[in-house]
Amino acid sequence: MLFRSQVSLFSSQLRAMGIEAPIFGTDFLESMTEVQQSKGALVGATFANNEVSPSFRARYLATFNNDFQINHAANGFDFALLLCKQLGSDVGVLSAEEILSRTMKLGRMSAQQGEARLVTSSTGDKYFDFPVVIRRITISEIVTDSKG
């Protein structure tokens, strides 16, 4: 697994060795900072990820001057917002069951990574349903290829 700033270095080293295999990956590719540091080596790479709202992206870039961890930050922001909506003015300790119940009652929530909701599978498991998209790196931006 590669971490921040290693993606651009690794992709540049691949290309310098003459390896032209397609690059694919995860949310670590969601960084124009990495794309610029790769000097073109990441162009054409694809990955699955959540989209981040333009307003959150702008605030994040203005604050941190890079986008290395933007998806993790958006996820954390969404989780904090969910907790605030869920807890309201309660200051007591809630059981796990009460937290799940309150979260289910929230229904679909507009979040920094798209519409989200807590759902229950046919086997009774609970998970968050977020939209996932296929992203592709171009010379000047990261674009969404399709919504899934």
Side-chain angles (χ1 to χ4, degrees):
M1 176 177 279
L2 301 173
F3 294 101
R4 180 178 73 167
S5 76
Q6 294 175 329
V7 173
S8 55
L9 178 62
F10 180 73
S11 61
S12 296
Q13 289 172 339
L14 277 177
R15 299 306 185 225
M17 292 171 50
I19 299 172
E20 295 298 326
I23 295 174
F24 61 93
T26 65
D27 62 320
F28 289 115
L29 293 174
E30 182 77 43
S31 170
M32 281 307 295
T33 307
E34 289 279 7
V35 172
Q36 291 161 353
Q37 289 177 355
S38 78
K39 297 181 174 61
L42 284 171
V43 171
T46 58
F47 57 100
N49 205 1
N50 307 103
E51 287 189 279
V52 174
S53 74
S55 62
F56 184 87
R57 183 176 297 279
R59 289 192 319 264
Y60 187 89
L61 289 170
T63 303
F64 298 104
N65 273 344
N66 70 61
D67 57 358
F68 284 126
Q69 298 290 322
I70 196 160
N71 278 79
H72 296 284
N75 192 319
F77 184 91
D78 288 342
F79 183 72
L81 184 62
L82 170 70
L83 285 178
C84 290
K85 286 183 177 182
Q86 189 180 78
L87 298 176
S89 60
D90 284 346
V91 292
V93 176
L94 298 175
S95 68
E97 292 78 17
E98 181 61 22
I99 291 171
L100 284 173
S101 173
R102 287 182 181 200
T103 304
M104 292 297 283
K105 288 177 187 172
L106 287 174
R108 213 165 256 295
M109 184 176 112
S110 180
Q112 299 306 312
Q113 293 184 311
E115 295 261 322
R117 66 187 172 105
L118 183 64
V119 296
T120 304
S121 73
S122 60
T123 60
D125 296 324
K126 294 184 179 2
Y127 62 93
F128 280 99
D129 178 30
F130 281 94
V132 175
V133 295
I134 302 299
R135 308 275 282 159
R136 182 174 39 84
I137 297 173
T138 71
I139 291 174
S140 60
E141 64 183 336
I142 300 172
V143 298
T144 298
D145 274 349
S146 65
K147 296 192 178 211

